[in-house]
Amino acid sequence: MLELNGKVAFVFGVASEDSIAWAICEKLAAAGVILYLGYQKRFMSRIFQLKEKLPAIAGFYPLDVAEDELTAEFFTAFATENPGMKADILIHAIGFAPKGCFDRPILFVENEDINTAMTISANSLQRCLRHALPFLNEGSSTITLTYAASTRFVPSYGIMSMAKAALECWTRELSCHLGPEGHRINAISSGPIRTLAASGIPGIGKILDHVAANAPLRRNVNQDDVAGATLWLASSLSSGVTGQCIYVDAGYSITMVPEYAIE
Ligand code: NAD
C-alpha cells in the first residue's frame, strides 16, 4: 500500500511539461498527494497554465535557491497561506550551470561559474532542507535528482559532474544528520532525458542515442520511469531506505564494455 492519500509535498523544479518534476507531480497527485510548487519567477506563466491541469496543486510560490532569502520566501508564503500545515515529501529537482561551464575545457572554467553551478545544483539541497525542516512532518521523505557523471566520465557534462558528486554526498550526509528524527533523504540517478536543463548539455542527442543502443533495456528512460521510482521513495514502501542513490537508467550504469566493441 502506498498510503499517500492526503499527504503534502513540496515540489521544486517544474519549468515545463517536460520537467521530470512535472511527471513526479502527476504521479504524486494520482496517489492522492496535495502539491505545493516552488517555481522560478521566469517560469511563472507556465506554472499558471500547468496549475489548471492538476487540481492537486494547492499552491505555488516563487523560489530561487541562489540566495538564502529567496529560498526563505517560498516557506514564508507557504506558512502565511497555510498556517500550521506541514509536508511529508520534498522533491528537489533543481539543476543549473552557467554557459561558461560548458563552452570551454574544465581547466579554464571561471570560479564564479563553478560556484554558481555548485550552489544551485548541489548545495541547494542543504539550503532547501534547512528552510523546510520546520515545515516537515517527522518521517518525511526527500528525493533529489542526480546523474551518473558524478562517478564516471561523461564528455561535455563538465562542472555538473562535480556538482552531482557533491549532491550525492549531501544526500548521504544529510540523511545521517536527519535520520535520527526519522527523515529520509535519497537521490535518484536518472538516465538522460530531453528536458529544458538537458538541452544545455552539449551533445545530448548523441548521448541519448548511445544510451538507447547500449543500455541493457535498449532504450532511454523517460520522465514517467523516474516518477515511478520517486513515488516509491516518497511512500512508506521504502521506509528502510535512506542516504541511497538509486539508478533509474535502463541499466546503463552497470555496463562497461559495449557489445559493439567485441563485434
Ligand atoms: P528542467 O529544466 O525541467 O528542470 C530544472 C529545474 O531547475 C527548473 O524547474 C528550474 O526552474 C530549476 N532551477 C534552476 N535554477 C534554479 C534556482 N536558482 N532556483 C530554483 N529553481 C531553479 O530539467 P530536468 O531535466 O527535469 O531537471 C531536473 C533535475 O533532474 C535536475 O537536477 C537535473 O540535473 C536532473 N537530471 C536530469 C537529467 C536529464 O537528462 N534531464 C538526468 C539526470 C538528472
Side-chain angles (χ1 to χ4, degrees):
M1 287 285 286
L2 278 172
E3 290 173 359
L4 285 172
N5 205 22
K7 299 274 184 196
V8 173
F10 296 136
V11 182
F12 303 155
V14 174
S16 76
E17 267 180 296
D18 290 334
S19 293
I20 299 172
W22 180 246
I24 293 172
C25 283
E26 292 183 313
K27 205 63 111 188
L28 291 174
V33 178
I34 300 153
L35 307 168
Y36 289 89
L37 270 54
Y39 66 91
Q40 265 188 305
K41 283 181 182 156
R42 65 194 174 109
F43 296 122
M44 190 170 74
S45 60
R46 200 84 61 87
I47 298 293
F48 269 92
Q49 288 164 7
L50 288 175
K51 197 241 169 284
E52 298 305 312
K53 300 189 177 201
L54 213 51
I57 299 175
F60 49 100
Y61 317 108
L63 169 88
D64 191 330
V65 299
E67 306 279 343
D68 229 19
E69 310 79 69
L70 301 176
T71 306
E73 245 180 45
F74 170 89
F75 294 98
T76 306
F78 169 77
T80 307
E81 277 197 14
N82 311 279
M85 189 185 279
K86 290 192 176 191
D88 310 282
I89 300 158
L90 191 160
I91 306 297
H92 175 276
I94 292 174
F96 173 77
K99 197 170 161 292
C101 288
F102 301 110
D103 65 6
R104 67 200 73 178
I106 53 165
L107 193 58
F108 301 105
V109 175
E110 303 283 351
N111 231 356
E112 199 184 332
D113 288 340
I114 297 173
N115 290 342
T116 300
M118 296 300 284
T119 298
I120 291 169
S121 308
N123 304 347
S124 67
L125 179 64
Q126 181 242 24
R127 179 168 272 168
C128 287
L129 264 168
R130 180 157 35 85
H131 287 283
L133 203 55
F135 305 103
L136 288 178
N137 284 317
E138 202 172 300
S140 74
S141 178
T142 292
I143 297 110
T144 186
L145 295 176
T146 185
Y147 180 51
S150 58
T151 56
R152 296 168 69 184
F153 176 69
V154 176
S156 85
Y157 207 65
I159 302 303
M160 278 302 286
S161 306
M162 280 59 118
K164 290 304 191 190
L167 179 68
E168 290 171 26
C169 198
W170 273 122
T171 302
R172 290 187 293 273
E173 291 288 329
L174 290 165
S175 68
C176 290
H177 181 64
L178 297 170
E181 292 157 37
H183 300 291
R184 299 188 292 121
I185 296 114
N186 289 288
I188 289 180
S189 185
S190 167
I193 300 176
R194 267 195 201 283
T195 61
L196 226 55
S199 65
I201 310 292
I204 182 69
K206 288 186 175 155
I207 293 173
L208 283 160
D209 290 347
H210 174 80
V211 172
N214 294 290
L217 294 180
R218 295 291 190 275
R219 68 170 177 92
N220 280 297
V221 292
N222 58 34
Q223 288 85 340
D224 208 45
D225 291 314
V226 179
T230 306
L231 188 66
W232 169 69
L233 281 173
S235 80
S236 60
L237 289 179
S238 60
S239 53
V241 181
T242 195
Q244 301 300 318
C245 179
I246 312 257
Y247 285 80
V248 178
D249 64 347
Y252 182 80
S253 56
I254 60 122
T255 66
M256 195 154 116
V257 179
E259 300 256 1
Y260 66 71
I262 57 161
E263 278 161 7

